[in-house]
Amino acid sequence: MLAKLQSGWGLFRQSWSVLWNDKQLLLFPLLSSAALLLVLLTFAVPMAVLVDWASLSRQMESSGSSARANVRLELWHYAVLGAFYFVNFFVITFFNVGLVSCAISKFRGGDARLATGVRAAVSLLPQILAWSLVAASVGVILKAIEERAGLIGTFVIRLIGMAWAVATFFVVPVLVVERVGPIEAVKRSVTVLRKTWGESLAVNLGIGAVSGLLAMVGLLPLVAGGAVSVGMGIVWPVLIGGAVTVLAILAISLVSSALKGIVLAATYEYASTGTIPSEFDPAGLRQAFKTKVKK
């Protein structure tokens, strides 16, 4: 376990070096976040119909503000939910494909410009659309089953959802390099995941943990501003502190997403071709792909 943590930290540092040298990679998670916000705003009104507001009002009157909204998921509601999932998956996959394409291009001696990634993603529109449809369908099906399942059933469905997320971990680089359909992409993702023995997942969890800690540090301006505002009886310090905190958390989130894409590209590159990107330490990647010794 200690060896995995050391290897994961090494890959984290090396991916940071890649990002530092090619800061345009940050544009992909930035554009993705902006696009997802537009999607959310577009679907806000139809999705609000899913809430039974009259029931919610009655519940709040009888049991207080802790009441939960009653969500009616009828057939057409599932259609709206499916469309929302599809557009979200499309946006996320499109920009992740661009990011991973740029990272792999850099590893192979090419450039990592925004235009390079966008062109790669556009050339893979059929694959991205097909994968988004499959991912959205799985999401809606799991949601539908969960709504009708009991407590144990809900727990099982969530485990299935986690297993699906793990199995599809390498789908994006598979789409970029092999340009296959969604079913074959999932199969290839599982194959690559077996080779990595979970190291790539551990690295991404590590990046998430570091990002979480940094986000907590990013709350300090808000806390400090709030303390000053209370002490002096003025509002502007907490407003400034809040603005700094929002910007800090946004920056941390963008960097975290970019680092995860870079590590994903590096581990897949080595798993599929056996070539170690020059930006990464050979020992670190080899540690991630140790084979199990059969007894």
Side-chain angles (χ1 to χ4, degrees), residues 124-246:
L124 286 165
L125 275 179
Q127 288 86 348
I128 294 174
L129 287 168
W131 167 246
S132 300
L133 181 60
V134 169
S137 299
V138 171
V140 171
I141 291 171
L142 292 178
K143 179 67 175 177
I145 297 174
E146 182 180 347
E147 288 294 322
R148 288 162 173 75
L151 181 61
I152 296 178
T154 299
F155 178 73
V156 172
I157 292 301
R158 289 181 180 178
L159 286 180
I160 294 174
M162 292 174 61
W164 171 255
V166 171
T168 58
F169 187 75
F170 281 104
V171 160
V172 168
V174 169
L175 293 178
V176 169
V177 176
E178 304 185 31
R179 308 178 76 91
V180 295
I183 304 303
E184 184 61 29
V186 174
K187 293 179 180 178
R188 288 289 299 130
S189 175
V190 172
T191 300
V192 175
L193 189 64
R194 287 173 178 169
K195 290 183 179 181
T196 66
W197 286 98
E199 179 71 17
S200 48
L201 293 175
V203 172
N204 275 265
L205 288 174
I207 293 174
V210 172
S211 300
L213 291 174
L214 291 176
M216 292 179 66
V217 174
L219 290 173
L220 292 178
L222 175 61
V223 174
V228 172
S229 292
V230 171
M232 300 181 63
I234 52 178
V235 70
W236 62 263
V238 72
L239 296 178
I240 295 176
V244 173
T245 290
V246 169

Side-chain angles (χ1 to χ4, degrees), residues 222-269:
L222 175 61
V223 174
V228 172
S229 292
V230 171
M232 300 181 63
I234 52 178
V235 70
W236 62 263
V238 72
L239 296 178
I240 295 176
V244 173
T245 290
V246 169
L247 292 175
I249 292 178
L250 176 60
I252 291 166
S253 177
L254 295 178
V255 170
S256 175
S257 297
L259 292 178
K260 289 178 179 179
I262 293 168
V263 170
L264 186 67
T267 51
Y268 178 79
E269 179 76 351

Side-chain angles (χ1 to χ4, degrees), residues 47 50 73 76-86 139-140 143:
M47 290 297 286
L50 297 177
L73 291 181
W76 77 271
H77 294 147
Y78 283 117
V80 175
L81 186 64
F84 179 72
Y85 280 2
F86 173 78
V140 171
K143 179 67 175 177

Side-chain angles (χ1 to χ4, degrees), residues 89-132:
F89 278 117
F90 176 81
V91 169
I92 292 170
T93 304
F94 183 89
F95 288 105
N96 281 346
V97 163
L99 172 60
V100 171
S101 295
C102 281
I104 292 177
S105 173
K106 178 177 176 58
F107 297 155
R108 297 179 179 182
D111 63 74
R113 293 178 298 171
L114 176 65
T116 300
V118 171
R119 282 196 300 268
V122 170
S123 72
L124 286 165
L125 275 179
Q127 288 86 348
I128 294 174
L129 287 168
W131 167 246
S132 300

Side-chain angles (χ1 to χ4, degrees), residues 54-77:
S55 175
L56 175 60
S57 178
R58 290 193 297 270
Q59 292 178 40
M60 292 182 67
E61 290 176 358
S62 61
S63 57
S65 59
S66 61
R68 298 177 60 186
N70 179 29
V71 179
R72 306 188 311 270
L73 291 181
E74 299 172 359
L75 183 60
W76 77 271
H77 294 147

